[in-house]
Amino acid sequence: RIRMILDIGTIIVMVGVTCAGLTVLTFVVWLSHREERFLLTWSIATLILVGSMGAFGFYEQSPSLLIGWIAAASTAVGAVGGWMTAMHLKRRRLAIWGGAVRIAVAEIAIAAPAVSGLPGTMIAAFNIVVFLCLMDAASVFWSIRKETRVYMTSLAVLSTTIGATFLLCGLHLLLFEQPDFLGIPQTALETVNGIVTLFGLTGMGALMLTLVHERIANQHRADAMTDALTGLLNRRALLDIGNASGTHDSAAVIIFDLDHFKNVNDTHGHAVGDLVLRRFTVICRQALRATDLAARIGGEEFAVVLPGTGEAEAILVADRIRRRFQREEIETDSGTVQCTVSAGVHASPRGSEWQLHDLLLGADLALYEAKNGGRNQVCWTEPNRGRS
């Protein structure tokens, strides 16, 4: 009974059924999330493996050179499909030419011994080809592990593990079987290969589906934290991130408010107003560092958090943005639009722990002075109150 359960033919059927399940499941998930196109690539690859497992089932029952070649050649295509899935996941586009080259090389490597009438060597070459394809995919997964370290590392490990069993099977055929051996050796090594492939493919499919769900969840979180018009953080996100990063290092906050923005909307329309807001966003991003935080906290109000920055440097940043925005000429259907912006700056004392709420309050008071003092200027709070 135990021998029957571990029979090579039974394992081949189980792998085929697993691939069929993966094909259906990943295709259905892809239908709901079309932006995750790597799932379609993976479902096509597993569908090819379903056919190849059927061919291997026939080969195991009634060995013939033609059926063996069909099984090996189609499985190699499915293995290359695994590499293409990894590349699709990495680059978000299908590596057609790379896949075509790999398929061509794989088919030549398998066909050469088949044409020579050496089925044993053909299956050995097939095993080595699959090993190389899986190692190729593993290297791609490993190269993008920074995206989601656990998932990508696990995919790389599974690909490597499956590939190692194929390599061992290929070496066994080359070293211990005759080149004209026809069929699949009924050895413990082949059984291990089948079982590892079965569980490995199942694990890879589960990891890819979990990865998709995590990406979707991350995207929802990003959408909830992002202002739709400008792509900057929203007020809630700024407060959450800023409060979590309070430190003894100095920090400064700048609050900008576009001057007479209501007149822009009333005169030119809200579409032009939106264009002005997006243009100001571009200017801010160009003037800020990667570690700085920028958010749209109101209709025409923006806040910038500058970690590790003192008052004097923050004032220079604010005035640089103000001057650049003042020079900006925005062409619209109703004419050229030029706007100005007022700014308030507040910095924490060096070496003291700061709270974002307090910095925002101080910057808001400075902004109030800038607006009341004639607009288009930068003001800052005590101890060095002033304007530029």
Side-chain angles (χ1 to χ4, degrees):
R1 182 178 179 83
I2 295 176
R3 181 175 297 178
M4 182 182 67
I5 293 174
L6 298 179
D7 178 75
I8 296 298
T10 303
I11 294 175
I12 289 173
V13 172
M14 293 172 66
V15 173
V17 171
T18 298
C19 290
L22 289 173
T23 299
V24 173
L25 186 57
T26 52
F27 183 75
V28 169
V29 174
W30 172 75
L31 287 176
S32 301
H33 307 288
R34 299 289 183 92
E35 69 280 2
E36 302 291 351
R37 292 189 291 272
F38 77 91
L39 286 177
L40 180 60
T41 307
W42 176 250
S43 64
I44 293 173
T46 53
L47 179 61
I48 294 171
L49 291 177
V50 172
S52 68
M53 289 303 103
F56 264 120
F58 282 113
Y59 184 64
E60 194 270 338
Q61 293 294 322
S62 303
S64 75
L65 183 60
L66 177 60
I67 295 177
W69 173 78
I70 293 173
S74 56
T75 303
V77 174
V80 174
W83 173 82
M84 295 176 72
T85 299
M87 291 299 293
H88 211 164
L89 187 59
K90 178 179 181 178
R91 298 181 179 176
R92 295 188 179 273
R93 65 176 186 271
L94 191 60
I96 296 176
W97 289 110
V101 170
R102 283 166 173 78
I103 289 173
V105 172
E107 297 307 324
I108 292 172
I110 294 170
V115 171
S116 301
L118 302 173
T121 305
M122 175 190 71
I123 298 299
F126 149 75
N127 278 285
I128 294 172
V129 162
V130 172
F131 160 72
L132 293 173
C133 290
L134 289 171
M135 292 304 297
D136 213 359
S139 67
V140 177
F141 287 131
W142 183 257
S143 70
I144 55 176
R145 64 190 182 280
K146 289 184 179 180
E147 178 184 347
T148 46
R149 185 172 295 274
V150 173
Y151 297 136
M152 295 304 173
T153 301
S154 298
L155 286 168
V157 169
L158 286 175
S159 297
T160 302
T161 303
I162 299 171
T165 63
F166 274 95
L167 176 63
L168 292 174
C169 289
L171 293 176
H172 178 269
L173 281 166
L174 288 175
L175 297 175
F176 301 106
E177 301 291 347
Q178 295 298 318
D180 59 352
F181 174 82
L182 191 62
I184 301 175
Q186 301 294 317
T187 63
L189 193 57
E190 292 289 344
T191 300
V192 170
N193 172 249
I195 293 173
V196 170
T197 301
L198 175 65
F199 286 101
L201 288 175
T202 303
M204 291 178 71
L207 285 168
M208 288 184 186
L209 293 176
T210 306
L211 175 62
V212 168
H213 288 299
E214 181 165 309
R215 278 184 166 185
I216 294 169
N218 290 339
Q219 185 60 51
H220 288 166
R221 283 194 291 270
D223 291 342
M225 297 174 66
T226 304
D227 174 63
L229 177 64
T230 63
L232 299 177
L233 298 174
N234 56 31
R235 175 184 284 273
R236 177 182 175 183
L238 179 70
L239 291 173
D240 288 345
I241 297 174
N243 288 333
S245 59
T247 174
H248 287 285
D249 294 333
S250 60
V253 166
I254 308 169
I255 296 183
F256 295 97
D257 189 280
L258 274 62
D259 299 326
H260 305 296
F261 185 72
K262 185 177 183 301
N263 293 340
V264 175
N265 281 331
D266 292 343
T267 304
H268 301 279
H270 288 279
V272 173
D274 291 347
L275 181 60
V276 171
L277 293 173
R278 286 194 292 266
R279 190 65 62 86
F280 180 75
T281 299
V282 171
I283 292 172
C284 276
R285 282 177 165 159
Q286 291 174 343
L288 299 178
R289 304 165 300 184
T291 55
D292 298 331
L293 300 177
R296 183 186 177 197
I297 59 175
E300 65 271 16
E301 198 170 42
F302 297 79
V304 172
V305 180
L306 307 170
T309 302
E311 179 185 83
E313 185 180 352
I315 292 169
L316 291 175
V317 172
D319 199 51
R320 187 183 311 126
I321 293 173
R322 181 192 68 80
R323 292 176 184 275
R324 171 72 189 278
F325 186 62
Q326 182 182 18
R327 296 194 301 268
E328 195 76 10
E329 295 184 353
I330 303 171
E331 299 296 334
T332 71
D333 293 337
S334 56
T336 301
V337 177
Q338 283 187 284
C339 300
T340 59
V341 65
S342 301
V345 176
H346 184 63
S348 66
R350 288 192 177 276
S352 64
E353 188 172 359
W354 54 270
Q355 295 294 324
L356 181 59
H357 174 77
D358 297 333
L359 295 183
L360 286 170
L361 181 60
D364 196 52
L365 291 174
L367 175 65
Y368 180 78
E369 181 180 340
K371 301 293 278 189
N372 286 340
R375 295 183 170 85
N376 190 26
Q377 57 186 299
V378 176
C379 288
W380 53 97
T381 52
E382 294 290 354
N384 297 313
R385 185 181 298 274
R387 60 171 59 90
S388 67

